């Protein structure tokens, strides 16, 4: 799988490290507006190459948006405009309402899977990337009923391979896997069920 990560900071960089550790990506492409972030991401071996947005989109099987929400509101519709039917787009942002509203009527909305990882640190930038940041963390796939079921299934399998527990949120919470975080034990909103 070829993965393009747009935004090579803490979350994007940590995801790149996790993909490499798990052997899930044969090639990781980075896209970032900051030349400093591009240079650091390459020197830290977070990504295999840095390219422009159009090239990063066209070459990827999975496109990850890991940019601040104000940028994501403009970027996600632009990415969806450019993808082919086999490509999947995910975001790793912490808020979803405005983003989901922005693409609700987009003709390729089904190829977008909204992902909320409950992981992070107080640091930022490529040098803040943490190996294993997503291991044993909870991830919620939001608004899943508006995503292609095959795309949701593929993203769920991908998250499992990264060592995450995950849950789909489609109106009321639905199928959840592997309780791996204190939130799975304490949250009344997310009924996590073990597959093991």
């Amino acid at each position: 799988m070829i993965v393009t990560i747009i935004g090579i900071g803490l979350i994007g960089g940590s995801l790149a490290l996790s993909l490499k550790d798990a052997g899930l990506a044969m090639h990781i492409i980075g896209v970032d507006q900051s030349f400093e972030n591009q240079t650091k991401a390459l020197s830290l071996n977070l990504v295999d190459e840095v390219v422009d947005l159009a090239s990063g989109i066209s070459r990827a099987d999975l496109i990850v948006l890991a940019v601040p929400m104000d940028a994501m509101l403009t970027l996600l519709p632009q990415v969806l405009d450019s993808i082919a039917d086999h490509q999947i787009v995910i975001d790793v942002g912490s808020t979803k309402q405005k983003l989901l509203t922005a693409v609700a009527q987009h003709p390729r909305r089904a190829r977008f899977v909204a992902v909320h990882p409950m992981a992070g640190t107080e640091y930022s930038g490529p040098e803040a990337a943490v190996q294993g940041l997503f291991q044993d963390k909870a991830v919620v796939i939001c608004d899943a009923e508006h995503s292609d079921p095959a795309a949701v299934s593929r993203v769920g399998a991908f998250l499992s391979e990264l060592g995450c527990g995950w849950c789909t949120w489609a109106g009321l919470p639905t199928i959840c896997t592997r309780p791996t975080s204190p939130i799975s034990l304490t949250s009344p909103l997310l009924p996590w069920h073990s597959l093991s």
Side-chain angles (χ1 to χ4, degrees):
M1 172 169 62
I2 297 174
V3 178
T4 290
I5 299 176
I6 304 171
I8 323 165
L10 164 68
I11 298 296
S14 298
L15 182 58
L17 288 173
S18 295
L19 288 166
K20 289 184 175 208
D21 287 347
L24 292 176
M26 65 180 210
H27 195 73
I28 300 176
I29 299 169
V31 174
D32 202 293
Q33 286 189 330
S34 163
F35 179 74
E36 183 180 358
N37 282 359
Q38 294 174 16
T39 304
K40 287 180 181 177
L42 287 168
S43 67
L44 293 168
N45 293 315
L46 300 179
V47 297
D48 298 308
E49 66 175 312
V50 174
V51 301
D52 62 68
L53 181 63
S55 179
I57 293 169
S58 68
R59 294 170 53 197
D61 301 302
L62 175 67
I63 300 158
V64 180
L65 277 63
V67 298
M69 185 53 60
D70 57 345
M72 203 176 301
L73 290 170
T74 303
L75 184 60
L76 178 58
Q78 182 182 348
V79 171
L80 290 176
D81 285 343
S82 304
I83 62 168
D85 291 341
H86 72 280
Q87 293 174 293
I88 297 173
V89 180
I90 69 171
D91 81 297
V92 289
S94 58
T95 63
K96 295 289 182 261
Q97 186 173 0
K98 286 182 181 179
L99 188 63
L100 292 169
T101 300
V103 296
Q105 302 304 316
H106 196 285
R108 292 196 178 97
R109 165 63 185 88
R111 302 309 298 166
F112 170 57
V113 179
V115 175
H116 176 47
M118 296 183 193
T121 73
E122 67 274 29
Y123 303 108
S124 62
E127 65 278 11
V130 177
Q131 209 143 8
L133 181 67
F134 300 98
Q135 182 70 39
D136 297 329
K137 296 298 190 303
V139 178
V140 179
I141 297 176
C142 304
D143 201 38
E145 74 272 26
H146 293 112
S147 298
D148 183 320
V152 172
S153 178
R154 189 165 175 200
V155 170
F158 162 80
L159 292 171
S160 293
E161 289 184 72
L162 286 179
C164 301
W166 60 275
C167 176
T168 59
W169 186 285
L172 295 174
T174 58
I175 299 170
C176 302
T177 68
R178 296 174 45 202
T180 57
S181 160
I183 194 166
S184 66
L185 303 175
T186 60
S187 174
L189 300 177
L190 301 175
W192 299 85
H193 303 284
S194 176
L195 292 182
S196 53

